[in-house]
Structure formats: C-alpha cells, structure tokens
Amino acid sequence: MNEKGREQPQNWIKGDESGADMLKRVWRVRPFLLPPPLHRVPLRVGNVLELVGPSPSAKTQILIQTAITCILPKNWNGIHYGGFDHLVLFIDLDSRFDINRFSQLLIYRIIEPYGESSRDYDKALYDLCMARFLYVRCSDSFQFLQTLKTLSRRLDKEKEVHGVSVHLLMIDSIGAFHWMDRASTFLSLKENSRKKLFLQSVSEAVVQDIKKLLQVHPMLVIATKSVIFWNKYSTASVEVKGSFMKNNWEERSSRNVTRNNQHFQYREYMPSVWQSFVTHRIHIRSSDDHSVTSKCQNSSFYLLEWLLPRLSFSDKIVVKDAGVFVDS
Amino acid sequence: MAPLNSLEKEYPLIDSNFQIFCASHAIYSVEDFLLHDIDALFTSATNCSSSQKLNQGIHQLLSIIDALHPPLLNGLQLVEDARQNKHVFSTGCQGIDALIGGGLRVGQLTELVGPSSSGKTQVCLMSASTVAKHNCSVIYLDTGNSFSPQRVAHFIGQSSDYVSGNQNVLDRIICYPVFDVYQMFDLLHQLKNNLRSKIGKSDRHVKLLIVDSISSLITPILRGSGPQGHTLMISAGFLLKQLAHEHNITVLVTNHVVGGDDGNSKPALGESWKSVPHVRLLLSRDCGGKVCNMSIIKHPAMASGRTATSVRLFV
C-alpha cells in the first residue's frame, strides 16, 4: 500500500518529455515565413496554400523560387543563405516544368552573396541542392493517385538517403485533369451506375491520400490552380480590359487605369472537398499599369492578392531573370 | 486498367475469395482500388475470416500499383536528362532564335498564334527544313493543304552548298493530310506505338512534329453543351507533351485568333488551352508589309511581351 502510494506522485512528478524533446516537437510545427512574395502570412506544416491565376501569371516561378529557398542550407562555407535545409517534392501534373529555368534560378541564388561579378559557382552546393529536389510527373488522375498511395514509403527512403525530411509538397496545377475527369465515365462492372461523379470520387481520393501522407510526413502543401472559366467582370467603372494584342506596351501603361470593386474573374471549378481542404489562398493576375520607368527588358509585372486570409492590399510583384521580387 | 478477375492467373493471391471481399466494397478493378481508402480496407480485412490471406491480397495489389507508378527523380537526374536529350533546334531564322532563347527546345510544345497570313505556316516550313537538314525526320500534320514542297525546297536550297543532297533532305519530311481530330489522334497514337516498340525505320529519328493548324481541328468540336470537346482538346495537348517528353521530340502547333470581348483579338481555343503549351508566340504582320513581328505570350524563362521587332522573317 505504501509503495503504491509513493508510485503515483512519483509518476506525476516525473514528466512526459524532456525539454529537448519538447523543443524538437515545437520547432517542427512552428509557423514560419516563406520568402517574398509569399511572406505576408506565416504558414506552418499541415497548411494547404493555393495559388490561383490565369496563364501566364508567374505561379510556377513562385513555386520554383520557394523550392530553392527550401533546399538551400542555412549556412555554407561561411555564407548565410537562410534556407530551410529540407527536401522538396514537386508533383508535376501539367508536364510543363522547365529544369533549365530551375537550374538558372538556383545558380543566381548561389552566386548572389558574392556580388554581380563572379561567374563560377560552388558546384558542390549546386549538386547538394539539386539532389534535394524530388520530382514526379503524372499524366492522368490514376497515375496521380498511384503516386500518392506509394509516396509514403518512398519518402522514407529519401529521408534515409539525405538525412533530412521533406518539408514542402508542391503540386503544379491541381486542376490539370479536370476536363478529362469530367468527361470520364469509366466502365463500372456493377449493374447500377455510380451515384457519385467520377470527378468527385477522384478529388475525394486525392484529398484523403494527401491528408494521410501529411500525418506521416508533415509538410506544407502549395498547389497552383489555373483558371478554366473566365467570367466577364461587370463593375461600374472599369476602363481597362485584359487585352494583350496591343502592339505598344507604352500605350497601355499610359492609359488611365481605375478598377473599382474588384470581382474575381474566375469561377471556382474544383469540387468542394478540395475547396475545404485549402487553408490559404492567393490570387495572382496580370497588372495593367507597369511603371514606365523600369527599363528592364526581360521582366513582367503581376498583382498578388491574399484571398484567404483576406488582406486589404495587393502586392505588386515583378518577375526578372533572377527571380520573383516584390516591387515596392 | 485491369478488372480484378483478369489478374487472377498471374497473381494467385487475388483469388475468388479476395475478389468477393473486394466486391463487398464495390471494388471491381484496379481503378476502383485506387479510389478507395486502403486503411479502411485493411481494418475490414482483419474483421473477416482468413484475414491473413486478404491482407496478402491487398499487399499484392499495392505492389502491382507500385510497379506502374511514374518514377521519382531528383534534380540532378533531370539536369542530366536535359543535357543529354533535350537539345535546342534552330528555327532557321536568327531573329526568332534570339527571341526564344536559342530555338525550339526538345520536350516542349511551342504554339504559334496569329491571324491568317501572318507567317505561321512559313515559320513551320522553315523549321521543318532546318531540322531536316540536320539529319532528323520531321512529321508534318497538314490540316489546310498548306504544305508546300516547293517552298521547303527553296528554304533548303537557300543555305546549302550542294544541290544533289536536297532529295535526301526532302525525304525526311513526311506530310500527312489530316482533316479531323480523330484522324490526328489515330496518327499520334500510331506514332507513339511505333516509337515505343522501336519499329518503323522512318519514325526512329523523328525530332520535330508540326500540327498546322491544331485550332482548325479542335474548334469544330468545342461547340456543344458537353465537356467532350474540351476533353479532347486537353487530351490532345497531354498526348503531344507526352510524345515530346518521352521520345525527345519538339512539337510545334499553330493556332488562329478570334475576336475578344472588347473588339481586340485573342488566341482561339479558350482559357483551358492557355496552360497547355510551354511556349506561346504571337505573330503579326503589318498590312501588306513584308515585316512580321513576333512577341512572346508565354515562356518558361522569358518575360511575356518581349518582342522581336521588325524581324525580317521572309524575303
């Protein structure tokens, strides 16, 4: 009786985890800030961020830039890169990923602390970073589901090889197979036809598989979505429309641009199971008033707006050779 | 994908007992299995009798899926593949090459947009002749009877020193007249099968595939209430990109323009098509002039709107 009485308070005092364990646990789920232009809202693993925009609107460029920040180490050879030092998994549903652009941006980032003049870059760092970038290409919904179902084991293997875990899951164009799934009525051997639409079933399976994957490998999910249905926005005074057949860009930028009551120019087409899975949303559209002062030949301008959580201002972003920057 | 009972011969673990168990969950094929929750299957398998065998059956199905999925590559492997296989082909015109970063890249789908007689077919013919001169085959799907062997011979003759080699060069350009979208699908599937099984000598060195113009094939089916038109369009896009990536071909398609909401013209085929090509170029010609302008609508590495001003494309 005496021993039992002593055991209980002892267990109560003993504690569940040591301080080091607690720090490790909290560190993993701590919110962090992504580099600009996604820096307005802190995100944590388990969040799902959706980038919506028409084509072209720099969505893939933003993904590439964020991936590079993730795979760079914090410090290398005494230079502080400020990377997250983790792996990135990129699922390419659009089949449009350009590895040369990725390589170009990575080299820009590696050379950046050394100044403009240097030409050669640290090959060992480049190889390390490139090996940390994992890529899968799927050409239909079934391949996507196959990949998701077998991903957990493969990520474990990669973790053993590299020593660090996957931190970011990027899906380029979650709506890529929308039309094919919509029209797909694959043969069901049952007598009664399915009650649910095929599109619905696929989306549910995808969301379920990603949720399961996130339980085992906590990651931040960033998905791009392109616009399929374009609604004409009918607001009171809109003086400019998105026309790009104009030959002179100067002529467009000097026009008077006023937009009252920004309406979203697109219609949501993903099923509700995906829409409720998304925790954050950004809308990117082309900007019509570029400042004429920028003489950069090779740069494009876009407007980035946080829809979820709703922020009252939009960032102006510019895409240059060296990456995507916020134009202030 | 296979229905489950057809897998029984090859994989004895998927016996009739397992199939009955799956049928109770409305799983009749591998596709149904993919759409189903695997953990729920495992838990219900443990509740049944002979749960050991059922578990083994589920693992067997998972390993079948494992063998089919696309591979997981890393950045270094991608760079190596790009360096070895994904070269850049010149279009034959220096101005265009300078604009799009060297020329047409293998593995990418390039789209030329422009009103009629803005030079789209000329660019296609010029690219075909340039690629054919480098000992590679060209497949030209011609939808509007616009392929002109005389013009191609002119391009070849323009910049080569010998005359006798012209015949060989012209032999490498194979032109198929195509008048509806199903014909195009047939041809593309046949090409894919030939390349996969490596038969058909003429198909082996194909490096350029031109569809002039893809919009005349797809626009007629886009009208209508169902999604079938858009589905065919997107499937065609995916098929072309798959051919380009797996078999190291560069694909060039042309598209026309339609009137937009505010009176300005915009490319045809709508909003969904915009995210299919890798590179989109806009051609325009001043009225009656010989000077064509080309500007970039979209490019993975160049800014939109970048123009090659007054490119003297054709003399």
Side-chain angles (χ1 to χ4, degrees), chain A residues 230-241 258-266, chain B residues 261:
Chain A
W230 188 268
N231 267 346
K232 272 195 288 209
Y233 48 95
S234 50
T235 57
S237 61
V238 176
E239 261 144 41
V240 67
K241 306 273 174 65
T258 50
R259 278 181 195 239
N260 306 335
N261 306 342
Q262 299 282 3
H263 282 270
F264 305 133
Q265 298 102 310
Y266 67 96
Chain B
D261 305 320

Side-chain angles (χ1 to χ4, degrees), chain B residues 204-257:
Chain B
R204 223 186 314 148
H205 301 289
V206 173
K207 280 295 171 201
L208 175 60
L209 170 64
I210 301 180
V211 185
D212 180 20
S213 64
I214 201 167
S215 52
S216 60
L217 295 177
I218 292 181
T219 316
I221 58 169
L222 274 185
R223 312 282 152 156
S225 49
Q228 283 83 5
H230 283 93
T231 307
L232 279 173
M233 175 175 76
I234 300 292
S235 308
F238 268 102
L239 180 56
L240 288 169
K241 282 195 281 195
Q242 196 185 14
L243 273 173
H245 179 75
E246 273 178 38
H247 303 284
N248 300 322
I249 300 177
T250 176
V251 183
L252 181 60
V253 302
T254 62
N255 191 5
H256 63 280
V257 293

